[in-house]
Amino acid sequence: MTKIKQNQDVSDAIVAWQEAIGEPAVLNASTNTADFCTFASESAALARLRPIDIDGVRRCLQIASEHGVAVYPISTGRNWGYGSAVPTQAAVVLDLSRLNQITDYDETLGTVSVQPGVSQQQLYDFLQQHGGRFWMDATGSSPACSVLGNTLERGFGHSPYSDHAGQLIRMEVLLADGRLIETGLGHFHTAKAADNYAAGLGPGLSQLFLQSNFGVVTGITINLMPTPDYFQAVYFSIDQPAEIAPLIDVLQPLRLKGVIRSALHIGNAHRVLSSIQQYPWAATGGVTPLPEPVLQAFGRQWDFGAWNGSGALYGTRRQVAEARRSIKTALRSQVKKLRFMDDETLALAKRFQKPYRWVTGINLPEMLKLIEPVHNMMKGKPTDRIIASTYWRKKMAIPQDMDPDRDRCGLIWCAHVAPTKGHFAKEMTDISSEVLSRHGFEPGMTLTMINERCLDNVVSICYDRDVPGEDQRALACYAELTQKLIAAGYFPYRLGTHAMHLLQQYGGQEYLALLGQLKHLFDPHQIIAPGRYSASDQ
Amino acid sequence: MTKIKQNQDVSDAIVAWQEAIGEPAVLNASTNTADFCTFASESAALARLRPIDIDGVRRCLQIASEHGVAVYPISTGRNWGYGSAVPTQAAVVLDLSRLNQITDYDETLGTVSVQPGVSQQQLYDFLQQHGGRFWMDATGSSPACSVLGNTLERGFGHSPYSDHAGQLIRMEVLLADGRLIETGLGHFHTAKAADNYAAGLGPGLSQLFLQSNFGVVTGITINLMPTPDYFQAVYFSIDQPAEIAPLIDVLQPLRLKGVIRSALHIGNAHRVLSSIQQYPWAATGGVTPLPEPVLQAFGRQWDFGAWNGSGALYGTRRQVAEARRSIKTALRSQVKKLRFMDDETLALAKRFQKPYRWVTGINLPEMLKLIEPVHNMMKGKPTDRIIASTYWRKKMAIPQDMDPDRDRCGLIWCAHVAPTKGHFAKEMTDISSEVLSRHGFEPGMTLTMINERCLDNVVSICYDRDVPGEDQRALACYAELTQKLIAAGYFPYRLGTHAMHLLQQYGGQEYLALLGQLKHLFDPHQIIAPGRYSASDQ
């Protein structure tokens, strides 16, 4: 079925779309190749539609139905490492980035309504301009990436509001047949609490549209975190990879009891290094993967360990002091370094980098490149620093206007979950390390405590798409890694467009049949993103 | 359609059920009249099935399908004030109370899996027997009420885990056609994080089965709150009803910022009095509704105000001290009384009731009847004290084995939501007070801050079903109250079995059509609880 669609003639549909939403809003496929992605993809973007409002989106869907052409909705298309803006199967991309309004804001209760095109930076700026009473939760992805898109993918950030889908209140969804549905209490058009009470009355429908192809989400309302009185970041590291198990076991009750209320990210040495700089071609004489002694030398120079944690405390000064006391008590004997840093300490560190090193032992000039954006990200300020690491294996310098797709940066994310217990963390990361190393990639990864009870091992397969054969090797590595992690009981929380078959391959048969029935109910002609988190491509 | 079913001959089906699950497991209708409820209901329980395991439930559904007889699943049937165990429309009750196993418990991460028949008391006892490392969240309903049933109805309790549906991780659902579906990661049968990661992969289905008739939920996994180092209850009151608006506005940032992390309940004077004692027939000379001077006299005697708040602080001693400091600062000038009470203070108060009164001014002997169970409930211990208030207007003494259905206690709950803003709280409670008073009922109610941004006004229409005409007057009062609240923009968070038409009446037409399509997909022959949170009875 995919192959037939790949060669589908969509010219009649394109004429109809041009008439409906205007010529400039319809781009042909040549500007949107399948290869415009951080890994090789077989499916093609047959064209690109850029409507400016919900009515335009509805007309796009209607024409898609009439002509039997599938559309693939994207928000801003920066789903880097998971397929960027490339469809799961051949389709016309339905680009919603021009729907970019912040449509509502409650500055007392801290809720905001955004359309698909609203970027992290746009929301951040908006909140700053409105007095900074609330913070958004930023992800490590680009400042230009969509708040809505990340939420629909169940992305997570760094603050106590890190579970983006968990902070979702209401959705506005366009169905394939043109109906516009509001979830939660939203369909009661006069409900005062529509932006405050997510559950609604009767069966809840919002979750149906997360990681889904059941409809086109044209707007969401989300909660914002009230700006705390005080903020303090915490950093710690351990020397030996195997110490990750006891470290997780010590951190687990802190997260469970709410001493640490935010997602805690623990990156390994490879991940830290790739966040500071590109691959050290000179120091390695061009050899890949990175030799262990070179990594260790960087670790000594910049004072990072085998695993390096970052998190933050939020509250009044006394609340933060009390949390800090608990963390110190728990971690003191477990970690090599344990440091707390607030805005003042950071400002001071920037002014006095040398004496700071003398006092603390940190080689700050380089580490600040990473610490400052991470510090700000934990305060809800998006950064492009993390996405810079997609240039890790590139031999070009990192450009000012980063675009991993255009610059053929190779990146495949692989993110699997486990209960927050040390031996699972150890087993999961051991599998990831072994598989990546054997395939010739640096096993850069983080462990994130995404909620009070669950760990996410986010592994980056990072490479240079301009090196012949690397695309295939990276995809083969991903295939083996997911197979091994799943065999050990660690399932993905999210899939790239190339990996949607994993749901079908491992899911319960009766469950998948039900997903298929639901898809048929919402979109009987398979117009919306066929194959995306879908039980089958029928 | 209802009327036809009301007289439906189910004798053939009963014979088949008797063969399938054994004669003693099938009770005929005479023991389960429609009238066995806290208000008058027109729909009849045609019989009652009591299977002992999932396979038995599946066979019950199969026979129901074959014979075209609807079944109405209940857990323990104590949905008091919302319809008890009475079906929405005439049906055979599918009583799941014999599926009463606690099937899994993770004593490190604090998750537990329960079947429908597991009661609050059973889970409480289980956790105590297993070392008391975790607390359940108790509701004010009976200790014998189902944990699962309350969660499916989106009930709430008093601790930081008060949003029961929000703490739901995984569901096991039997569909009408006999398929057993596990939601979240559960359908990946080897997923280690199935009990820790609620979202699963792809579209989320769990919420479809909340306040729903799409399937029969036979098990859930929920999060438990880790027992805090320290616990301290907080009580406060205000004198004038109108002061509720500024009080809510002062409390709102405390809840939003997480100074108060639990559901905060604020009961009015009527609600407090009915929780302490039955209607003062002697003091009123038999007159109803309660004259204001009598209420005020009780308020002076027992030291409660127009509105009386209870909440709790959880954490380390220092965390609690810091929260207490913030609360004192915020509330000091707003409230008449502000008191904090921990386990020690309470024990002391019980030992020295007279000197305690002398020091604090509280008439403790009577207030302790209420304060002690509320104190314990905020620590996850279920109590039958609150359900005792259903006997408010009864002239019989409250029996040891309370059963509001059997004893013809009249109770209709009416619970509508609003954004947490003072003027909404005022308007909503003014409407509730006015309507109940005009209909001759005491306007007993609470305002609960059910999440960081939303208030729930839970109104109890409390009466004596043995007084001729009261059932009709109470239902008329409910009808007017819901109509007025909805007209003002305050929608219900939950419906009684008699009030399911409100969804149909006020819901968005396209949304309701979608709900109808979903019902048809899950249960094409309308075997499961027809009419329950349903778009139509077709």
Side-chain angles (χ1 to χ4, degrees):
Chain A
M1 189 167 178
T2 308
K3 297 230 179 280
I4 295 167
K5 280 200 174 170
Q6 198 84 350
N7 303 314
Q8 190 174 6
D9 181 3
V10 297
S11 51
D12 286 356
I14 284 180
V15 171
W17 279 317
Q18 282 168 339
E19 281 171 15
I21 62 168
E23 178 128 22
V26 181
L27 308 179
N28 68 27
S30 64
T31 56
N32 299 281
T33 67
D35 212 35
F36 203 71
C37 179
T38 65
F39 51 83
S41 170
E42 283 180 19
S43 57
L46 305 173
R48 190 167 186 136
L49 309 175
R50 306 182 68 233
I52 57 163
D53 56 22
I54 289 171
D55 199 51
V57 181
R58 184 185 277 118
R59 291 162 81 190
C60 287
L61 287 179
Q62 191 184 349
I63 291 164
S65 285
E66 286 165 8
H67 291 263
V69 179
V71 295
Y72 187 80
I74 61 166
S75 299
T76 59
R78 288 175 175 82
N79 195 15
W80 289 323
Y82 292 107
S84 303
V86 174
T88 309
Q89 297 174 9
V92 170
V93 169
L94 180 55
D95 177 342
L96 304 173
S97 62
R98 292 167 80 189
L99 281 79
N100 61 357
Q101 301 300 305
I102 295 171
T103 55
D104 210 351
Y105 173 53
D106 183 331
E107 62 182 3
T108 304
L109 294 176
T111 56
V112 69
S113 304
V114 294
Q115 291 188 321
V118 173
S119 70
Q120 296 201 95
Q121 189 67 45
Q122 184 183 349
L123 180 54
Y124 174 80
D125 291 341
F126 174 89
L127 293 174
Q128 290 299 306
Q129 285 153 16
H130 284 75
R133 296 186 59 192
F134 293 93
W135 285 354
M136 58 172 276
D137 183 89
T139 73
S141 189
S142 158
C145 99
S146 163
V147 171
L148 181 147
N150 187 272
T151 303
L152 296 194
E153 281 295 288
R154 298 198 177 98
F156 50 84
H158 296 250
S159 79
Y161 281 50
S162 62
D163 173 10
H164 295 176
Q167 298 300 337
L168 184 67
I169 296 296
R170 192 170 60 89
M171 275 178 175
E172 185 186 76
V173 188
L174 202 55
L175 301 186
D177 62 9
R179 274 183 288 177
L180 189 69
I181 298 294
E182 281 187 78
T183 67
L185 288 176
H187 69 98
F188 298 113
H189 294 302
T190 57
K192 286 192 162 80
D195 283 341
N196 311 101
Y197 185 67
L201 185 67
L205 304 188
S206 291
Q207 291 182 349
L208 286 175
F209 302 102
L210 300 175
Q211 295 184 347
S212 165
N213 61 2
F214 294 169
V216 180
V217 180
T218 55
I220 57 173
T221 301
I222 56 171
N223 292 324
L224 299 165
M225 176 182 169
T227 302
D229 295 353
Y230 181 59
F231 163 90
Q232 193 170 48
V234 53
Y235 301 96
F236 52 87
S237 62
I238 54 174
D239 266 342
Q240 298 303 319
E243 291 169 0
I244 191 67
L247 178 65
I248 292 296
D249 286 332
V250 167
L251 289 169
Q252 176 264 313
L254 297 176
R255 182 82 171 97
L256 187 63
K257 287 191 169 188
V259 173
I260 297 167
R261 284 165 50 229
S262 60
L264 197 75
H265 293 251
I266 310 169
N268 69 355
H270 289 102
R271 190 79 191 92
V272 173
L273 184 61
S274 72
S275 300
I276 301 174
Q277 66 156 58
Q278 289 178 278
Y279 194 86
W281 296 111
T284 55
V287 170
T288 60
L290 189 68
E292 191 63 24
V294 178
L295 178 66
Q296 301 229 339
F298 278 110
R300 281 189 301 275
Q301 184 184 342
W302 290 334
D303 197 38
F304 58 78
W307 289 99
N308 308 273
S310 66
L313 307 172
Y314 305 81
T316 63
R317 278 192 179 259
R318 290 184 206 189
Q319 280 174 327
V320 169
E322 174 60 359
R324 190 170 60 232
R325 196 185 61 81
S326 299
I327 291 170
K328 278 184 179 169
T329 305
L331 287 190
R332 195 178 286 136
S333 63
Q334 295 287 332
V335 299
K336 185 179 70 158
K337 295 272 162 57
L338 177 61
R339 293 197 186 86
F340 296 88
M341 191 177 273
D342 63 9
D343 292 350
E344 283 172 48
T345 332
L346 181 65
L348 217 62
K350 285 170 69 181
R351 283 180 60 198
F352 305 105
Q353 300 188 355
K354 279 191 185 167
Y356 189 85
R357 181 180 184 179
W358 186 75
V359 174
T360 65
I362 304 185
N363 185 346
L364 215 58
E366 288 303 320
M367 282 306 278
L368 268 182
K369 284 187 195 166
L370 180 59
I371 285 178
E372 189 173 11
V374 167
H375 182 97
N376 288 331
M377 195 159 53
M378 293 191 285
K379 296 174 68 182
K381 184 179 181 186
T383 174
D384 58 9
R385 182 68 221 174
I386 309 299
I387 213 69
S389 67
T390 57
Y391 288 82
W392 165 245
R393 284 270 195 111
K394 298 298 289 186
K395 284 173 178 160
M396 66 189 281
I398 300 174
Q400 204 62 35
D401 62 328
M402 286 184 271
D403 186 335
D405 294 333
R406 177 199 64 205
D407 294 332
R408 296 183 56 78
C409 302
L411 176 68
I412 310 176
W413 289 117
C414 178
H416 290 233
V417 290
T420 303
K421 294 183 180 181
H423 62 288
F424 293 143
K426 175 80 168 53
E427 183 181 45
M428 186 161 53
T429 54
D430 279 352
I431 293 171
S432 300
S433 288
E434 192 278 324
V435 173
L436 263 78
S437 301
R438 186 155 42 71
H439 282 260
F441 301 104
E442 291 74 37
M445 67 181 80
T446 50
L447 277 171
T448 301
M449 302 175 93
I450 52 171
N451 67 33
E452 287 83 353
R453 294 166 179 84
C454 190
L455 280 179
D456 197 330
N457 181 207
V458 182
V459 180
S460 57
I461 304 175
C462 214
Y463 61 102
D464 182 356
R465 295 197 65 200
D466 285 328
V467 173
E470 284 286 83
D471 262 334
Q472 287 65 40
R473 280 192 290 275
L475 287 166
C477 176
Y478 178 88
E480 186 185 337
L481 179 58
T482 51
Q483 186 273 322
K484 284 231 158 75
L485 286 171
I486 289 173
Y490 307 110
F491 281 75
Y493 100 93
R494 180 175 178 180
L495 295 173
T497 50
H498 65 298
M500 295 296 171
H501 62 278
L502 292 174
L503 180 58
Q504 172 84 350
Q505 188 175 342
Y506 295 101
Q509 288 312 304
E510 297 192 324
Y511 187 86
L512 294 176
L514 179 58
L515 282 188
Q517 287 177 275
L518 286 165
K519 174 63 176 172
H520 185 76
L521 184 156
F522 282 103
D523 181 18
H525 306 301
Q526 294 276 333
I527 291 307
I528 301 172
R532 182 179 155 76
Y533 292 104
S534 189
S536 80
D537 63 353
Q538 291 306 304
Chain B
M1 188 168 177
T2 309
K3 296 233 179 280
I4 294 166
K5 282 200 171 170
Q6 197 85 352
N7 302 315
Q8 191 173 8
D9 181 4
V10 297
S11 52
D12 286 356
I14 284 180
V15 171
W17 279 318
Q18 282 168 340
E19 281 171 15
I21 62 168
E23 178 128 25
V26 182
L27 308 179
N28 69 28
S30 64
T31 55
N32 299 281
T33 66
D35 212 35
F36 203 70
C37 178
T38 64
F39 51 83
S41 171
E42 284 181 18
S43 56
L46 305 173
R48 190 168 187 135
L49 309 176
R50 304 182 70 234
I52 58 164
D53 56 22
I54 289 171
D55 199 51
V57 181
R58 185 185 276 119
R59 291 162 80 191
C60 287
L61 288 178
Q62 191 184 348
I63 291 163
S65 285
E66 287 164 7
H67 291 263
V69 179
V71 295
Y72 187 80
I74 61 166
S75 299
T76 60
R78 289 175 174 82
N79 196 15
W80 288 323
Y82 292 107
S84 304
V86 174
T88 309
Q89 295 175 10
V92 170
V93 169
L94 179 56
D95 177 341
L96 304 175
S97 62
R98 292 167 80 188
L99 281 77
N100 62 357
Q101 302 299 305
I102 294 171
T103 54
D104 211 349
Y105 173 52
D106 182 331
E107 62 182 1
T108 304
L109 293 177
T111 57
V112 69
S113 303
V114 295
Q115 292 188 320
V118 173
S119 70
Q120 297 202 93
Q121 189 67 45
Q122 183 183 351
L123 180 54
Y124 176 80
D125 291 341
F126 174 89
L127 293 174
Q128 290 299 305
Q129 285 153 16
H130 284 74
R133 296 187 58 193
F134 292 92
W135 284 354
M136 58 172 278
D137 183 89
T139 73
S141 188
S142 159
C145 100
S146 164
V147 171
L148 181 146
N150 187 272
T151 304
L152 296 194
E153 280 297 287
R154 298 198 178 98
F156 50 83
H158 296 251
S159 79
Y161 281 50
S162 62
D163 172 11
H164 294 176
Q167 298 299 336
L168 183 66
I169 296 297
R170 192 170 60 87
M171 276 179 173
E172 184 185 77
V173 189
L174 202 55
L175 302 186
D177 62 9
R179 275 183 289 177
L180 189 68
I181 298 294
E182 282 185 78
T183 67
L185 288 176
H187 69 98
F188 298 112
H189 295 302
T190 57
K192 286 191 161 81
D195 283 342
N196 310 99
Y197 186 67
L201 185 68
L205 305 188
S206 291
Q207 290 181 350
L208 286 176
F209 303 103
L210 301 175
Q211 295 183 348
S212 164
N213 62 2
F214 293 169
V216 180
V217 180
T218 56
I220 57 172
T221 301
I222 56 171
N223 292 324
L224 298 166
M225 177 183 167
T227 303
D229 295 353
Y230 182 59
F231 163 91
Q232 195 170 46
V234 53
Y235 301 97
F236 52 86
S237 62
I238 54 175
D239 265 342
Q240 297 304 319
E243 290 170 359
I244 191 66
L247 177 65
I248 292 296
D249 286 331
V250 166
L251 289 169
Q252 176 264 315
L254 296 176
R255 182 82 171 96
L256 187 62
K257 287 192 169 188
V259 172
I260 298 167
R261 285 165 50 230
S262 60
L264 197 75
H265 293 251
I266 310 168
N268 69 356
H270 288 103
R271 189 79 191 92
V272 173
L273 183 61
S274 71
S275 301
I276 301 174
Q277 66 155 55
Q278 288 178 277
Y279 194 86
W281 296 110
T284 55
V287 169
T288 59
L290 189 68
E292 192 62 25
V294 179
L295 178 66
Q296 301 229 339
F298 279 111
R300 281 189 300 274
Q301 184 184 344
W302 291 334
D303 196 38
F304 58 78
W307 289 98
N308 308 273
S310 67
L313 307 172
Y314 304 82
T316 63
R317 277 191 179 259
R318 290 184 207 189
Q319 280 173 328
V320 169
E322 173 61 359
R324 191 170 58 232
R325 195 185 61 81
S326 298
I327 291 170
K328 277 184 179 169
T329 305
L331 288 191
R332 195 178 287 137
S333 63
Q334 295 287 332
V335 299
K336 183 179 72 158
K337 294 273 162 59
L338 177 61
R339 293 198 186 86
F340 295 88
M341 191 178 273
D342 63 10
D343 293 349
E344 283 172 47
T345 332
L346 181 64
L348 217 63
K350 285 170 70 179
R351 283 180 60 197
F352 304 105
Q353 299 187 357
K354 280 192 184 166
Y356 188 86
R357 180 178 186 182
W358 186 74
V359 175
T360 65
I362 304 183
N363 184 347
L364 216 57
E366 288 303 320
M367 281 307 277
L368 268 181
K369 283 187 196 168
L370 179 59
I371 285 177
E372 188 173 12
V374 167
H375 181 97
N376 287 331
M377 194 159 54
M378 292 192 285
K379 297 174 68 182
K381 184 177 180 184
T383 173
D384 58 9
R385 182 68 223 174
I386 309 299
I387 213 70
S389 67
T390 58
Y391 288 82
W392 165 245
R393 284 270 196 111
K394 298 299 289 186
K395 284 175 177 158
M396 64 188 283
I398 299 174
Q400 203 61 35
D401 62 329
M402 285 184 271
D403 185 336
D405 294 333
R406 178 198 63 203
D407 294 331
R408 297 182 56 77
C409 301
L411 176 69
I412 310 176
W413 290 117
C414 179
H416 291 232
V417 291
T420 303
K421 295 183 180 180
H423 61 288
F424 293 143
K426 175 80 168 51
E427 184 181 44
M428 186 161 54
T429 54
D430 279 353
I431 293 170
S432 300
S433 288
E434 191 278 325
V435 174
L436 263 77
S437 301
R438 187 157 40 74
H439 283 260
F441 302 104
E442 291 73 36
M445 67 181 80
T446 51
L447 277 171
T448 300
M449 302 175 93
I450 52 171
N451 67 32
E452 287 83 352
R453 295 165 178 85
C454 190
L455 279 179
D456 197 330
N457 181 206
V458 182
V459 180
S460 57
I461 304 174
C462 214
Y463 62 102
D464 181 356
R465 295 198 65 200
D466 285 329
V467 173
E470 284 286 82
D471 262 334
Q472 287 64 39
R473 280 192 289 275
L475 287 166
C477 177
Y478 178 88
E480 186 184 338
L481 179 57
T482 51
Q483 186 273 322
K484 284 232 158 74
L485 286 171
I486 289 173
Y490 307 111
F491 281 75
Y493 100 94
R494 181 175 177 179
L495 294 172
T497 50
H498 65 299
M500 295 297 172
H501 62 278
L502 292 173
L503 179 57
Q504 173 84 350
Q505 190 174 341
Y506 295 100
Q509 288 313 303
E510 298 192 322
Y511 187 88
L512 295 175
L514 179 58
L515 282 188
Q517 288 177 275
L518 286 166
K519 174 63 176 174
H520 185 76
L521 184 157
F522 282 104
D523 181 18
H525 306 300
Q526 293 277 335
I527 291 307
I528 301 172
R532 183 180 153 75
Y533 291 104
S534 190
S536 81
D537 64 352
Q538 292 304 308

